[in-house]
Amino acid sequence: MKGERADMNKLKESGWHFLLIVICLVLLLPVLFMISNSFKTLQDSYHSMLQIIPAHPTLNNYLTLDKQISLLRIIWNTFFMATIVTIGKIVTGLLSAYAFKYFSFKGKKLIYFAFISTIFVPFTVVMIPNFLVISKLNLLNTALGVALPQLCDATGIMLFLKAMDKIPNSLIESVRIDDIPAYKILKDIVVPILRPNIISIGAIFFINSWNEYVWPTLILKDKNSFTLPLALQNYISSEGGTNFPLAMALSTIMIIVPLLIYLIFQRYILNSISSSGLK
Amino acid sequence: MNNRNKKNKVLTIAYLFPTALILLVFIIAPIIYTFYLSFFNWNLIAPTKDFVGLENYLSIFTDPVNRKIILNTVFYILLLLVLNFLVPYFISIIVKFFISKMQTAYKIIFFIPSLFSLVVGAMLFSWIMNPVSGPVAFFMRNLGLTLPNWTNSGAMAVVVICLITNWKVFGYNFVLLLTGLGSVPQNIIDATKMDSIPKWRMIWDIVFPLNKSIAFYVLILTIVQGLQYVFTPISVITQGGPYYGSSNALYHTYLNAFVLYKTGNASALAIVTFVIFLVLLYLEIKFVEGRTSRYE
């Protein structure tokens, strides 16, 4: 009787695993086919689209891309923009999290609330004025124009604050009594302790910025200033005439960086995402 | 003492200043300016703006295109809630309570598409669902069926667009919800096992109430973030078409502002969207108590 029940449970569990593995395949197979088709000729990509190993592997799509667009320049633009945004968000996030955690001041609750509420502001309500400001500053078609409005991030402040909880209060108190200036405490104590958090939160910022599409399309009109998502968008035709092997080659280039970052920092990244949902 | 207080005040201001400045210039002031613009007719360039009072707001409720947009937005929200909230929630419960190994492996794999741009997602789905040359059409042809040209139907396009965002955020929401389930105390779960209470009862009566706050957070996030996420596939694949059939409040705002140069209409629609998001923010604070009030 007991054995029968255990067998039944095992069977049920296998059923669930089957479902979960199907989900894995649904999520990942498209990416796998994308990478594989990027090494196929246009003809092969149509006639044997579901063959994972290309019959006649070719680098032609990548070479064509390189001829049609200034690929290196576009990769550099994306990297440069994402780097500015990431550094900006880390610096402003650490500074304000430090203030919320260790300074006492009037209206702290209200200011914190105001900062966090900005998560709920839809981009449509700020895009017209921001576009006007960036164009007034003559920053259209520049990475700085894309980065400037995004140099701070409320989610980041929240995550840094949570990370600071793990620093013993007694440690900070003891150095504060010795009249060590705040910036030194931040630089020599807080930052080294939070190093893994800073790396993972920074990685999340970088990946998000690397993939960003909406705001850059408003600011970057000149093809030389394009980032990868904008360049890719140009290869997708709504009329159905997309050259998929080409678009897939560009997409493959585009996913390498986020994938590498995830490969290296996977545990830290998932921990940070998890903690963003907790109280 | 007084000196020290003063020093502290200066320090506080210095540390909060960079964030406050950016938020003030690029979020707070723009909200006010957009609100101001919503009372005018303007084209983004002309030196003068015509004051029209509430006309732009009235047109949201009277203009047939705008009415269609509002209905579409509701359709999007419902679909996003099912695909990006209920489905990951269901799967996270399976992974937490119904299987005993490989939890971490699923977490790592499910999260992978979250790393990729929605433009890549849009490209992939326009390939998979391509009515002529895509794999789905290929399989259906073998079965003697044809895949309809879904870009010609607003409703079908909305479904595909939501599926694209689902591909991206499924793993992200799954990780958040699974973390929430992880905070249900193990001894409660064990106790129900000893009393041989059925699993679904335990989940319904104990897990759901205990996990309410994080679930509600993900639910709100699904709406607020989801409506902004669908913008990318709309813009890449359908541009809101056919005849506004796959557009929503956010895409229509963009279209009015930067394609049709009807800044006033765009601003009014943006403000309405903002007010809806504020209501959601209020609900979040009410239901997810303590999230924002911990630093008094």
Side-chain angles (χ1 to χ4, degrees), chain B residues 96-133:
Chain B
K96 176 73 192 168
F97 298 110
F98 290 83
I99 61 169
S100 51
K101 38 180 194 256
M102 298 217 337
Q103 276 103 337
T104 313
Y106 289 128
K107 204 159 108 174
I108 293 170
I109 295 174
F110 287 174
F111 191 78
I112 292 174
S114 304
L115 303 163
F116 304 146
S117 165
L118 277 163
V119 185
V120 172
M123 185 280 295
L124 276 175
F125 276 74
S126 67
W127 173 66
I128 295 168
M129 304 292 287
N130 190 297
V132 184
S133 61

Side-chain angles (χ1 to χ4, degrees), chain B residues 7-281:
Chain B
K7 208 176 120 196
N8 266 340
K9 210 173 210 167
V10 173
L11 265 180
T12 308
I13 294 172
Y15 275 54
L16 291 176
F17 181 73
T19 306
L21 180 73
I22 301 275
L23 293 182
L24 204 68
V25 175
F26 292 106
I27 294 188
I28 315 264
I31 293 170
I32 298 167
Y33 192 61
T34 300
F35 185 62
Y36 166 83
L37 285 178
S38 69
F39 298 104
F40 292 86
N41 271 348
W42 190 41
N43 67 1
L44 213 58
I45 304 150
T48 56
K49 309 177 179 75
D50 298 331
F51 182 78
V52 293
L54 288 172
E55 196 183 278
N56 291 324
Y57 287 96
L58 289 175
S59 87
I60 292 177
F61 302 100
T62 53
D63 177 56
V65 170
N66 276 323
R67 266 209 303 248
K68 190 168 182 177
I69 298 295
I70 301 284
L71 278 178
N72 284 352
T73 309
V74 174
F75 184 38
Y76 266 111
I77 291 175
L78 293 175
L79 216 56
L80 287 170
L81 282 179
V82 173
L83 288 172
N84 295 359
F85 174 69
L86 289 182
V87 174
Y89 203 7
F90 175 72
I91 299 298
S92 69
I93 285 168
I94 299 295
V95 169
K96 176 73 192 168
F97 298 110
F98 290 83
I99 61 169
S100 51
K101 38 180 194 256
M102 298 217 337
Q103 276 103 337
T104 313
Y106 289 128
K107 204 159 108 174
I108 293 170
I109 295 174
F110 287 174
F111 191 78
I112 292 174
S114 304
L115 303 163
F116 304 146
S117 165
L118 277 163
V119 185
V120 172
M123 185 280 295
L124 276 175
F125 276 74
S126 67
W127 173 66
I128 295 168
M129 304 292 287
N130 190 297
V132 184
S133 61
V136 172
F138 175 79
F139 277 122
M140 288 178 76
R141 239 191 333 265
N142 284 348
L143 297 169
L145 303 163
T146 44
L147 178 67
N149 194 346
W150 50 272
T151 47
N152 288 339
S153 144
M156 276 194 278
V158 171
V159 173
V160 175
I161 287 162
C162 286
L163 282 173
I164 297 171
T165 66
N166 179 251
W167 172 77
K168 183 175 166 84
V169 301
F170 173 83
Y172 186 93
N173 287 355
F174 169 82
V175 169
L176 283 179
L177 290 161
L178 192 68
T179 311
L181 294 176
S183 55
V184 176
Q186 190 61 38
N187 57 348
I188 298 183
I189 298 168
D190 290 341
T192 59
K193 259 187 206 151
M194 294 241 263
D195 296 341
S196 63
I197 293 169
K199 256 184 193 161
W200 61 268
R201 262 233 91 92
M202 184 265 290
I203 289 165
W204 189 264
D205 290 343
I206 297 168
V207 174
F208 279 163
L210 279 174
N211 198 38
K212 200 178 70 185
S213 87
I214 198 162
F216 198 76
Y217 169 68
V218 178
L219 185 145
I220 298 281
L221 204 68
T222 299
I223 301 174
V224 168
Q225 213 178 48
L227 281 180
Q228 310 195 57
Y229 272 170
V230 292
F231 185 97
T232 300
I234 294 174
S235 154
V236 171
I237 299 176
T238 66
Q239 285 91 47
Y243 194 68
Y244 305 106
S246 65
S247 188
N248 67 16
L250 285 95
Y251 189 79
H252 201 59
T253 306
Y254 158 81
L255 189 84
N256 270 316
F258 293 101
V259 181
L260 307 174
Y261 297 108
K262 296 201 286 197
T263 314
N265 294 51
S267 301
L269 202 53
I271 293 292
V272 170
T273 315
F274 181 49
V275 170
I276 295 169
F277 281 20
L278 280 183
V279 173
L280 293 173
L281 171 68

